């Protein structure tokens, strides 16, 4: 595949847009730091929502709030006509990931509270900065086209993007440019390493009785949960090596002297293809039924809490973004940035190699031997419209993921520089799509003739499934007031580090 080259005008506009993105770096930093300080969990991103929607409205976007029946989801739109470019990025945090930024050891702001232990605080700021820089050029050059900005609400629960598709939010979109935090600057095309999944809660119902006085009269729903888990863990040995599955018990009964009438267990079933996900899910359902029979309890209708298709990225758009990545290059890290990275890596027992400084010259294609791994419900979007994920260098390599350590860099110069650099790439790729109609054509040609030739999207959602918008409500309520004390105030402090009085970097001697 060859994609159209930049002519002189496009080259100039790309240089201009990169300079403009750079000039917005203070605003970018304020957005990154503010969302970090909100530290909100999936479906409860209310402060983040209000903050981001305000910025978009102030900048001329019309914003539809509460889309797809999800209060903290929105679709912001500016411009008119084709192409329609949709910029997305995840926005939610991780339980118990509260952490002081810039400190290279575990030091929570608020013990037990959630925080940005994945780095989802910086992708939407990246998209906003890119969009504002491109919008300025579109206005001056009178370029037709529509920019949409949307949040990956509750991504940690893979809770919303399939519903966005179901609600038709991407129906008129030509290309989706997604961005996800990383420690390097890259894109890929084709099937990505990792998995899709269904996230399902099984609830059993038995009968209470006095646990000591008349246990024979009770039927324990908790027995069914335990037997389901035991059954699943035996079966695990006979499942594909690339699969991943895990569970938490969401209801284990009320108190020991009352035979548990209800009990629930929440499973993630991950596999690398749609049919394999369905098969894993069927296995889970069968084991749940068996557990109910053994325990003499009832299995209630299962509840779908989230889904994700495996991801497939568009070749033509990835090629364009890859060329822009080569132009932009990695950020210039300071000795302080490197010192923080090395100290955190040392603290975690990882190789203390510091931050990445180099790009990979080659654009990576489809995964060859997919050994499984994480998921992102951007997969659902990627099977409905040509999509890429830009991975940008805002975090430190060698971290465990979903952990306080992944929050350390996320309100420091490492994140700020990485986001600015990523926004340059995003803006340049937007210009490619706006100024080269041929590129959009090639993207759809790949989508129609290669990607979806033999495999078409079918939702994993069942008709009766609804967004699980009540998730995390109690947990967020428990910590919100305490967390509010730490919200970043950019009118008083230049950076969040300054507000918290943290010396950058703070490392163990
Ligand atoms: Zn993520």
């Amino acid at each position: 595949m060859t994609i159209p080259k930049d002519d002189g005008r496009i080259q100039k506009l790309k240089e201009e847009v990169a300079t403009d993105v750079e000039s917005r770096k203070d605003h970018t930093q304020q957005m990154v730091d503010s969302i970090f300080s909100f530290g909100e969990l999936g479906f409860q991103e209310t402060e983040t929502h209000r903050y981001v929607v305000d910025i978009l409205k102030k900048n001329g976007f019309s914003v539809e709030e509460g889309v797809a029946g999800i209060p903290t989801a929105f679709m912001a739109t500016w411009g008119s006509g084709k192409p329609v470019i949709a910029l997305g990025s995840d926005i939610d945090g991780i339980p118990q990931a509260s952490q002081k930024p810039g400190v290279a050891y575990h030091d929570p702001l608020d013990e037990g509270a959630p925080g940005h232990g994945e780095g989802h605080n910086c992708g939407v700021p990246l998209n906003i900065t890119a969009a504002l820089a491109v919008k300025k050029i579109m206005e001056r050059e009178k370029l037709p086209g529509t920019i949409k900005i949307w949040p990956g609400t509750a991504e940690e629960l893979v809770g919303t993007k399939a519903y966005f598709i179901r609600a038709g939010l991407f129906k008129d979109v030509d290309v989706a440019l997604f961005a996800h935090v990383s420690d390097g600057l890259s894109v890929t095309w084709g099937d990505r390493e990792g998995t899709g999944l269904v996230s399902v809660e099984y609830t059993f119902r038995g009968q209470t009785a006095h646990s000591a006085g008349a246990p024979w009269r009770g039927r324990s729903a908790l027995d069914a949960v335990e037997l389901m888990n035991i059954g699943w863990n035996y079966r695990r040995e006979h499942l594909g090596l690339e699969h991943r599955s895990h569970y938490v018990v969401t209801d284990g009964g009320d108190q020991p002297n009352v035979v548990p009438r209800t009990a629930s267990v929440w499973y993630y079933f991950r596999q690398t293809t749609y049919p394999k996900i369905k098969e894993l899910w069927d296995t889970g359902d069968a084991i749940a039924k068996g557990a109910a029979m053994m325990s003499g309890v009832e299995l209630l209708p299962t509840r779908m809490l989230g889904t994700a298709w495996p991801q497939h990225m568009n070749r033509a758009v990835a090629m364009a973004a890859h060329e822009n990545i080569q132009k932009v290059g990695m950020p210039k890290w300071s000795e302080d940035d490197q010192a923080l990275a090395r100290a955190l890596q040392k603290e975690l027992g990882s190789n203390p190699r510091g931050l990445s400084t180099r790009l990979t010259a080659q654009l990576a294609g489809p995964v060859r031997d997919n050994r499984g791994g994480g998921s992102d419900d951007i997969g659902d979007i990627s099977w409905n419209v040509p999509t890429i994920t830009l991975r940008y260098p805002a975090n430190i390599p060698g971290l465990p993921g979903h952990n306080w350590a992944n929050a350390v860099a996320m309100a420091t110069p490492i994140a700020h520089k990485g986001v600015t650099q990523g926004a340059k790439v995003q803006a340049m790729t937007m210009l490619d799509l706006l100024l080269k109609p041929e590129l959009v054509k090639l993207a759809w040609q790949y989508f129609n003739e290669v990607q979806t030739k033999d495999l078409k999207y079918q939702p994993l959602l069942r008709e009766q499934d609804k967004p699980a918008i009540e998730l995390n409500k109690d947990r967020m309520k428990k910590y919100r007031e305490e967390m509010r004390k730490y919200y970043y105030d950019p009118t008083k402090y230049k950076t969040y580090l300054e507000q918290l009085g943290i010396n950058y970097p703070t490392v163990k001697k």
Side-chain angles (χ1 to χ4, degrees):
M1 184 183 277
T2 48
I3 57 166
K5 290 209 165 14
D6 295 354
D7 59 21
R9 179 193 181 210
I10 297 176
Q11 265 176 29
K12 270 218 186 82
L13 290 176
K14 282 188 178 177
E15 279 161 29
E16 182 192 332
V17 90
T19 307
D20 192 59
V21 165
E22 185 69 38
S23 76
R24 294 173 192 272
K25 68 179 197 304
D26 289 348
H27 185 235
T28 306
Q29 166 254 313
Q30 285 176 9
M31 290 190 283
V32 169
D33 288 1
S34 294
I35 299 174
F36 180 93
S37 77
F38 301 146
E40 293 176 302
L41 293 169
F43 287 119
Q44 310 304 327
E45 308 98 331
T46 52
E47 297 285 351
T48 308
H49 178 83
R50 179 198 48 74
Y51 174 78
V52 170
V53 167
D54 276 358
I55 291 172
L56 289 166
K57 283 186 176 166
K58 257 185 219 134
N59 284 284
F61 280 77
S62 63
V63 185
E64 195 190 338
E65 298 181 53
V67 290
I70 299 154
T72 52
F74 64 82
M75 185 58 88
T77 307
W78 179 85
S80 62
K82 291 276 189 179
V84 179
I85 304 168
L87 308 177
S89 194
D90 301 330
I91 195 78
D92 57 327
I94 297 282
Q96 306 204 29
S98 176
Q99 169 67 25
K100 287 182 186 157
V103 177
Y105 46 86
H106 192 201
D107 190 4
L109 278 162
D110 180 12
E111 176 64 43
H116 274 288
E118 161 125 352
H120 284 178
N121 59 305
C122 63
V124 170
L126 181 154
N127 285 335
I128 293 175
T129 295
L132 297 183
V134 171
K135 175 174 173 265
K136 195 169 134 192
I137 289 178
M138 288 172 76
E139 284 169 327
R140 190 192 64 213
E141 305 279 318
K142 303 201 171 20
L143 300 178
T146 305
I147 304 174
K148 287 181 177 277
I149 296 185
W150 55 277
T153 307
E155 188 281 331
E156 296 301 347
L157 302 162
V158 288
T160 58
K161 297 188 191 92
Y163 290 102
F164 293 171
I165 292 296
R166 183 199 264 183
L169 297 178
F170 285 79
K171 248 202 233 141
D172 63 344
V173 171
D174 291 295
V175 173
L177 298 179
F178 195 66
H180 197 281
V181 60
S182 175
D183 51 58
L185 187 58
S186 66
V187 289
T188 62
W189 65 272
D191 283 329
R192 273 201 61 183
E193 178 147 52
T195 57
L197 66 82
V198 288
S199 155
V200 186
E201 188 176 47
Y202 294 88
T203 296
F204 300 91
R205 189 167 58 198
Q207 206 166 293
T208 64
H210 194 301
S211 301
W216 48 87
R217 295 183 61 175
R219 292 291 179 270
S220 169
L222 180 60
D223 288 355
V225 164
E226 294 197 81
L227 287 167
M228 177 175 181
N229 296 343
I230 288 165
W232 185 262
N233 286 326
Y234 272 91
R235 186 64 168 265
R236 192 184 290 279
E237 188 182 354
H238 311 287
L239 297 171
L241 289 179
E242 72 286 6
H243 109 281
R244 300 281 192 285
S245 55
H246 10 262
Y247 55 82
V248 294
V249 175
T250 46
D251 174 12
D254 299 307
Q255 57 186 63
N257 65 338
V258 181
V259 172
R261 179 169 179 267
T262 57
S264 304
V265 58
W266 176 10
Y267 269 80
Y268 272 27
F269 298 121
R270 306 194 201 231
Q271 253 293 4
T272 54
T273 65
Y274 171 80
K276 287 179 174 177
I277 295 166
K278 296 273 282 186
E279 200 186 314
L280 208 58
W281 185 6
D282 285 345
T283 306
D285 282 357
I287 288 175
K289 277 180 204 146
M293 277 170 78
M294 283 189 279
S295 315
V297 304
E298 189 188 351
L299 170 63
L300 298 184
T302 60
R303 179 132 191 258
M304 169 82 91
L305 299 177
T307 66
W309 258 60
Q311 302 168 54
H312 187 108
M313 297 302 159
N314 189 269
R315 187 170 188 182
V317 184
M319 286 172 75
H322 181 73
E323 282 181 14
N324 296 326
I325 286 170
Q326 304 306 311
K327 290 188 183 101
V328 166
M330 287 291 282
K332 305 262 176 293
W333 305 121
S334 69
E335 197 31 58
D336 287 342
D337 301 335
Q338 290 288 10
L340 179 73
R342 284 193 303 263
L344 183 63
Q345 288 160 341
K346 204 172 140 213
E347 173 75 10
L348 296 166
S350 301
N351 174 10
R353 63 189 146 129
L355 296 162
S356 314
T357 53
R358 262 189 246 150
L359 295 175
T360 25
Q362 209 71 32
L363 171 62
V367 59
R368 295 275 166 233
D369 176 23
N370 190 351
R371 295 182 185 192
S375 322
D376 189 309
D377 48 0
I378 189 62
D380 288 73
I381 314 279
S382 77
W383 284 94
N384 281 276
V385 51
T387 300
I388 60 163
T389 294
L390 170 68
R391 298 169 63 81
Y392 54 94
N395 214 335
I396 295 168
L399 309 184
H402 294 179
N403 182 278
W404 61 266
N406 292 64
V408 168
M410 293 317 303
T412 71
I414 296 172
H416 304 146
K417 289 179 212 174
V419 171
T420 290
Q421 216 69 349
K424 291 176 192 169
V425 176
Q426 197 79 318
M428 287 160 83
T429 309
M430 290 169 76
L431 289 177
D432 282 322
L433 296 166
L434 289 165
L435 294 162
K436 301 173 186 169
E438 183 64 17
L439 182 63
V440 178
K441 237 183 258 168
L442 283 167
W444 278 96
Q445 206 175 330
Y446 174 82
F447 182 84
N448 290 321
E449 292 168 22
V450 182
Q451 180 184 346
T452 62
K453 188 169 166 267
D454 300 317
L455 181 61
K456 304 253 187 291
Y457 180 75
Q458 310 160 65
L460 284 157
L461 291 179
R462 305 163 299 187
E463 220 169 297
Q464 70 268 29
D465 295 323
K466 289 198 184 73
I469 58 174
E470 84 291 355
L471 288 178
N472 289 325
K473 196 166 259 173
D474 293 346
R475 193 174 285 160
M476 208 60 235
K477 207 192 229 164
K478 180 171 170 197
Y479 292 104
R480 172 117 34 210
E481 281 322 302
E482 186 61 26
M483 289 170 74
R484 208 180 285 285
K485 295 179 194 158
Y486 300 106
Y487 285 178
Y488 171 45
D489 181 357
T491 64
K492 289 205 190 118
Y493 301 94
K494 195 167 170 338
T495 66
Y496 193 40
L497 286 172
E498 191 185 307
Q499 176 172 331
L500 296 172
I502 292 171
N503 283 320
Y504 180 74
T506 298
V507 303
K508 280 185 183 164
K509 291 271 150 57

